[in-house]
């Protein structure tokens, strides 16, 4: 009898020790828009424990108490690792290839050089990913528009994702730098020459299909004339 009681006590103590060595984590696995991802798995990082997410996107998993992180996995999505916490753990997963195209209308203003105060308009298209690219065209409109052809500034370069809603870009291209001076006398009128353009800027994505572009372009003939163009653009992301 005493032996049976001793064995029972040992079993209870073993179960208590086991209970103290594990913990239960729970939460949900969703996409970036908050939709549940049934069938996803949540695994103990560097552990053998795992759970399959239910139809409503929730899960419950018993893991070792020493475990610090858990990882959610789903086909077509980037793995998401989170630090284990006492409350609900919400894994927000992103597609492995979150490609985005953008087109913007651009307006701006020239400061400095012979075209100080000139209004600029144009368009910008971009491919936004972790790394992407863009193409921008700018035209100037001034009081001598009839005499000066609106030769565009054309730039192209790379984009880089900084956060989920912000991208940086930088590039270079061709421009025509206009002068107010007369090259061969008054009868010849204003003239222009080939030059280089350099671009930097930031693209914001404040809402799903809305983009806002803030940019700065420097046009120069690399000798005597330099124009600085500040720009603001608004467009559509698809």
């Amino acid at each position: 009898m005493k032996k049976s009681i001793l064995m029972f006590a040992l079993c209870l103590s073993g179960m208590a020790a086991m209970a103290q060595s594990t913990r239960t984590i729970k939460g949900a696995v969703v996409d970036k828009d908050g939709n549940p991802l049934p069938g996803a798995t949540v695994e103990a990082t560097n552990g053998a424990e795992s759970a399959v997410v239910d139809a409503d996107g929730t899960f419950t998993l018993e893991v070792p108490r020493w475990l610090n992180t858990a990882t959610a996995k789903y086909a077509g999505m980037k793995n998401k690792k989170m630090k284990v916490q006492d409350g609900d753990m919400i894994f927000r997963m992103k597609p492995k290839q979150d490609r985005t195209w953008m087109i913007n209308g651009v307006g701006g203003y020239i400061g400095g050089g012979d075209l100080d105060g000139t209004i600029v308009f144009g368009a910008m298209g971009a491919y936004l990913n972790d790394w992407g690219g863009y193409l921008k065209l700018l035209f100037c409109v001034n009081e001598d528009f009839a005499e000066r052809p609106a030769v565009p500034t054309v730039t192209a370069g790379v984009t880089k994702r900084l956060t989920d809603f912000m991208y940086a870009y930088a590039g270079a291209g061709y421009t025509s730098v206009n002068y107010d001076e007369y090259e061969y006398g008054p009868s010849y009128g204003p003239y222009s020459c080939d030059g280089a353009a350099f671009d930097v800027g930031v693209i914001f994505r404040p809402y799903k299909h809305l983009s806002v572009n803030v940019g700065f372009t420097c046009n120069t003939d690399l000798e005597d004339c330099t124009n600085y163009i500040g720009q603001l653009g608004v467009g559509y992301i698809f």
Side-chain angles (χ1 to χ4, degrees):
M1 182 67 177
K2 291 182 179 180
K3 190 174 182 179
S4 298
I5 294 174
L6 179 60
M7 291 294 294
F8 182 70
L10 289 173
C11 288
L12 287 178
S13 63
M15 292 175 63
M18 184 178 296
Q20 291 177 356
S21 65
T22 62
R23 64 191 299 187
T24 299
I25 61 174
K26 61 179 181 176
V29 180
V30 298
D31 63 16
K32 63 180 182 179
D33 296 320
N35 301 310
L37 296 176
T41 59
V42 178
E43 301 176 355
T45 306
N46 299 324
E49 299 80 8
S50 65
V52 178
V53 174
D54 295 334
D56 61 355
T58 61
F59 71 92
T60 301
L61 177 63
E62 189 171 332
V63 298
R65 186 163 291 277
W66 52 262
L67 185 76
N68 293 322
T69 60
T71 303
K73 298 180 179 180
Y74 190 76
M77 298 285 188
K78 296 179 181 179
N79 292 349
K80 177 70 174 181
K81 182 186 291 187
M82 287 186 63
K83 187 175 181 180
V84 172
Q85 59 191 42
D86 292 331
D88 286 348
M89 299 176 62
I90 308 299
F91 292 86
R92 294 189 181 276
M93 307 190 72
K94 300 176 184 178
K96 288 183 178 179
Q97 297 294 331
D98 189 11
R99 302 183 180 94
T100 301
W101 293 91
M102 178 206 79
I103 185 166
N104 263 9
V106 179
Y109 185 85
I110 295 180
D114 295 313
L115 296 181
D116 186 24
T118 299
I119 295 174
V120 174
F121 69 95
M124 177 179 179
Y127 168 73
L128 304 176
N129 201 349
D130 289 337
W131 286 95
Y134 79 94
L135 176 67
K136 184 194 292 184
L137 283 81
L138 298 175
F139 298 86
C140 65
V141 179
N142 56 63
E143 59 185 8
D144 299 320
F145 186 78
E147 298 180 24
R148 298 186 189 190
V151 178
T153 295
V154 183
T155 55
V158 297
T159 63
K160 176 69 175 74
R161 187 200 308 270
L162 302 179
T163 68
D164 287 344
F165 59 87
M166 184 167 64
Y167 303 80
Y169 68 86
Y174 165 83
T175 188
S176 178
V177 180
N178 290 288
Y179 290 84
D180 280 334
E181 293 84 1
Y182 292 85
E183 186 174 13
Y184 300 111
S187 62
Y188 286 86
Y191 71 98
S192 63
C193 68
D194 294 336
F198 303 94
D199 249 347
V200 292
V202 179
I203 299 168
F204 298 95
R205 186 179 183 178
Y207 190 65
K208 289 182 181 179
H209 298 293
L210 175 65
S211 65
V212 177
N213 162 44
V214 179
F216 177 82
T217 303
C218 174
N219 292 347
T220 177
D221 65 355
L222 303 178
E223 292 183 3
D224 302 317
C225 184
T226 300
N227 299 318
Y228 303 98
I229 309 174
Q231 307 132 52
L232 177 65
V234 178
Y236 184 78
I237 288 179
F238 55 95

